Amino acid sequence: MENKARIQKVLSDQGILSRRRTEELIKEGRITVNGRPAQPGHPIDIRRDIVAIDGERIWFQKKKKNYYVMLHKPRGYVTTMSDEKGRRSVADLVADFPVRLYPVGRLDKDSTGMLLLTDDGQLAHQVIAARGHVAKYYHIVLARPWEDGYLQPLEQGITLADGAQCLPAKAAPVPDTDREALICLHEGKYHQVRRMFAALGNHVSELARVAMGGLLLPPELPLGACCVLSEKDVQKLLKCETDFASLLQTLQSHSS
Ligand code: URA
């Protein structure tokens, strides 16, 4: 049975070269397939084709192991793997992993909480794809007290200052607090939570992602630390949701 994929995808899935770097090396004539110069998009069957870079054969792994990593992101780190402005980035916190990891979605520089990183492009896509977007839960602290009047616009879908329309969101104040809230989104626009509360006339002063899908940020995972997810964790992320009311209760017990 034929099992071919484009050379850029094969080399990046195998953790050998990024797609862009593969294209560069192909242009420079440094990659061959079965002894002939490779073309961009060259179809490759890892079981049959012999691919070499600068004359050196690549041995493909038939069954690739992917890494799924959860980082407790601290404030002050940008969510990129290299930052041209030289700012601290989450890459510094996962530098020990043997493969190149990519963040699944983003958290703002000033946000904290659960950030997933993986070398599995398909999973990253599944988590953030518009359809079936995994639920994300944010614990926020507002600059001014929560107002019950926020609920209706949030549930109907907020219109942001630039006219962008948000999907309906579930939100509730954390009981026994006046400025904390929990909000659950099924999408991820740029600075979305901050812009939603700006549209409501408030300001988010702290934001932490506390859960994604059915996966909770473990309370024992220190800021800046990461842990490797099991297959079961990945299934929880993709297939389950976190119970909103119990999460709210947990936040209440932490704040009291
Ligand atoms: N929404 C925001 O505004 N910031 C984040 O970091 C995540 C969601």
Side-chain angles (χ1 to χ4, degrees):
M1 200 178 73
E2 284 244 311
N3 193 1
K4 295 197 177 233
R6 291 160 64 85
I7 188 164
Q8 291 96 317
K9 173 165 168 42
V10 171
L11 295 188
S12 112
D13 285 354
Q14 292 267 331
I16 296 163
L17 290 177
S18 69
R19 290 179 193 227
R20 190 176 329 145
R21 189 72 188 129
T22 303
E23 281 161 19
E24 286 168 3
L25 295 195
I26 288 176
K27 262 197 209 141
E28 292 167 16
R30 292 167 60 188
I31 304 188
T32 55
V33 179
N34 304 323
R36 300 230 170 92
Q39 304 303 320
H42 210 124
I44 301 291
D45 179 342
I46 58 167
R47 293 165 311 172
R48 295 202 174 85
D49 291 318
I50 297 176
V51 178
I53 302 177
D54 294 332
E56 212 162 296
R57 180 171 182 181
I58 290 163
W59 295 97
F60 292 118
Q61 286 171 266
K62 304 279 178 327
K63 206 160 178 265
K64 188 177 157 244
K65 176 184 176 333
N66 286 116
Y67 281 87
Y68 305 99
V69 174
M70 184 198 292
L71 169 70
H72 190 172
K73 180 193 170 298
R75 233 173 211 270
Y77 285 77
V78 288
T79 308
T80 52
M81 292 317 274
S82 63
D83 186 60
E84 70 279 5
K85 292 186 198 150
R87 294 173 297 182
R88 286 186 296 180
S89 96
V90 295
D92 307 337
L93 303 168
V94 293
D96 291 343
F97 284 90
V99 292
R100 200 169 161 77
L101 297 170
Y102 296 92
V104 179
R106 285 175 175 274
L107 277 177
D108 301 337
K109 181 162 163 268
D110 287 335
S111 301
T112 63
M114 183 191 293
L115 182 71
L116 300 181
L117 299 108
T118 183
D119 57 346
D120 177 352
Q122 214 177 338
L123 175 111
H125 179 73
Q126 253 176 296
V127 173
I128 57 175
R131 222 187 272 182
H133 196 115
V134 165
K136 296 177 195 154
Y137 302 80
Y138 299 96
H139 176 203
I140 56 172
V141 180
L142 295 167
R144 288 176 285 286
W146 166 273
E147 290 178 22
D148 286 337
Y150 296 160
L151 280 177
Q152 201 198 10
L154 284 168
E155 278 163 13
Q156 281 178 347
I158 298 263
T159 307
L160 302 177
D162 63 358
Q165 184 62 41
C166 298
L167 293 173
K170 189 169 173 59
V174 177
D176 304 332
T177 70
D178 67 344
R179 286 194 255 151
E180 292 179 40
L182 175 66
I183 177 162
C184 171
L185 300 188
H186 283 87
E187 58 181 338
K189 300 188 199 302
Y190 179 68
H191 287 337
Q192 184 165 346
V193 176
R194 296 179 198 276
R195 292 197 294 149
M196 285 166 88
F197 281 88
L200 290 168
N202 209 320
H203 172 81
V204 172
S205 14
E206 288 176 43
L207 184 153
R209 184 150 68 201
V210 287
M212 288 175 76
L215 203 58
L216 286 173
L217 180 69
E220 67 279 7
L221 187 67
L223 269 172
C226 49
C227 62
V228 174
L229 300 181
S230 66
E231 189 52 41
K232 213 165 139 197
D233 291 330
V234 175
Q235 290 312 311
K236 263 187 172 169
L237 165 76
L238 295 176
K239 305 258 158 71
C240 307
E241 291 220 348
T242 298
D243 182 64
F244 192 87
S246 359
L247 191 49
L248 205 54
Q249 243 179 20
T250 313
L251 296 178
Q252 177 187 13
S253 58
H254 285 173
S255 59
S256 57

